[in-house]
């Protein structure tokens, strides 16, 4: 089927999304390890993105059909996350602008859950089934190794998305409980 083939090969004009991610993650990985002290989950994230994006950049079966979403649209939630992190790095801002901080947290939570869970899941399942079929049908060992790493890294990224989503949902529930407890006390 030509539609399926178009999702696996071609779309070289979409390579820019993946190349940008490879470059950014290659920069973010040592910065995160040596200067920022990022959590292990973020280091795993950087390595996994490098693995997935590298296939899109360097191989003909690069699944570039998916790259505008995987390496473009999904990053929309990173904008409010950056603002939120700026607030966390400057606690005085939180005291000075609590409404802005609360709003940014809500926007981030909605953007993350919508883009990285609700919309991600069906797109990822389509991608995963195609990548798994290609892996299964390959009889070349080097291709099998590369596709195995590719598929595994994409699964790791998906698990991380769900892990972080559970933290966001937990914060929403916790925030809801605080408000209910405050109302009952009044």
């Amino acid at each position: 089927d030509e539609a399926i083939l178009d999702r696996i090969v071609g779309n070289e004009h979409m390579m820019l999304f993946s190349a940008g991610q490879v470059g950014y993650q290659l920069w973010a990985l040592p910065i995160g390890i040596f200067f920022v002290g990022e959590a292990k989950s973020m280091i795993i994230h950087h390595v996994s993105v490098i693995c997935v994006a590298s296939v899109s950049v360097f191989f003909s079966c690069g699944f570039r059909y998916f790259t505008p979403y995987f390496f473009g649209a999904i990053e929309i939630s990173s904008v409010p996350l950056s603002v939120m992190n700026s607030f966390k790095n400057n606690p005085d801002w939180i005291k000075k602008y609590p409404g802005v901080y609360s709003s940014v947290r809500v926007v981030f939570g909605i953007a993350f859950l919508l883009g990285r869970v609700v919309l991600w899941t069906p797109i990822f399942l389509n991608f995963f089934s195609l990548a798994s079929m290609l892996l299964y049908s390959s009889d070349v060992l080097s291709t099998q190794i590369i596709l195995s790493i590719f598929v595994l890294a994409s699964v790791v990224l998906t698990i991380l998305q769900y892990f972080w989503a559970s933290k966001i949902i937990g914060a929403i529930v916790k925030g809801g409980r605080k408000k209910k407890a405050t109302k009952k006390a009044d």
Side-chain angles (χ1 to χ4, degrees), residues 22 46-56 146 149-150 153-154:
V22 169
H46 296 317
V47 171
S48 297
V49 172
I50 291 167
C51 292
V52 172
S54 291
V55 170
S56 293
I146 291 165
I149 293 168
F150 180 61
S154 70

Side-chain angles (χ1 to χ4, degrees), residues 2-33:
E2 197 168 311
I4 291 174
L5 189 61
D6 286 343
R7 293 178 185 194
I8 299 171
V9 298
N11 295 302
E12 286 80 10
H13 61 287
M14 303 287 190
M15 195 181 307
L16 184 61
F17 290 98
S18 303
Q21 278 294 332
V22 169
Y24 174 75
Q25 299 301 334
L26 285 172
W27 172 81
L29 184 60
I31 296 296
I33 293 170

Side-chain angles (χ1 to χ4, degrees), residues 125-175:
L125 290 174
N126 180 248
F127 160 82
F128 180 77
S129 66
L130 293 174
S132 297
M133 284 189 275
L134 185 61
L135 172 59
Y136 177 76
S137 64
S138 176
D139 56 0
V140 178
L141 181 61
S142 60
T143 302
Q144 292 172 340
I145 292 168
I146 291 165
L147 285 173
S148 294
I149 293 168
F150 180 61
V151 169
L152 178 63
S154 70
V155 169
V156 167
L157 287 169
T158 300
I159 291 168
L160 284 171
Q161 300 307 320
Y162 294 151
F163 168 71
W164 290 323
S166 72
K167 289 182 165 270
I168 292 168
I169 292 168
I172 291 168
V173 169
K174 186 178 175 184

Side-chain angles (χ1 to χ4, degrees), residues 26-125:
L26 285 172
W27 172 81
L29 184 60
I31 296 296
I33 293 170
F34 298 116
F35 298 104
V36 178
E38 285 185 324
K40 288 180 185 175
S41 59
M42 277 308 296
I43 302 304
I44 292 167
H45 173 268
H46 296 317
V47 171
S48 297
V49 172
I50 291 167
C51 292
V52 172
S54 291
V55 170
S56 293
V57 173
F58 300 114
F59 296 92
S60 60
C61 293
F63 294 84
R64 284 177 284 280
Y65 169 86
F66 298 96
T67 59
Y69 186 79
F70 286 175
F71 305 121
I74 200 165
E75 294 299 333
I76 290 170
S77 67
S78 296
V79 176
L81 176 62
S82 295
V83 175
M84 198 170 77
N85 287 339
S86 294
F87 269 89
K88 287 180 180 178
N89 291 334
N90 297 283
D92 291 342
W93 293 4
I94 297 172
K95 292 175 187 171
K96 200 171 187 179
Y97 308 104
V100 174
Y101 180 62
S102 293
S103 297
V104 167
R105 287 173 50 109
V106 169
V107 170
F108 166 70
I110 291 168
F112 189 96
L113 293 173
L114 183 62
R116 295 185 183 234
V117 176
V118 175
L119 297 175
W120 172 271
T121 300
I123 293 169
F124 174 76
L125 290 174

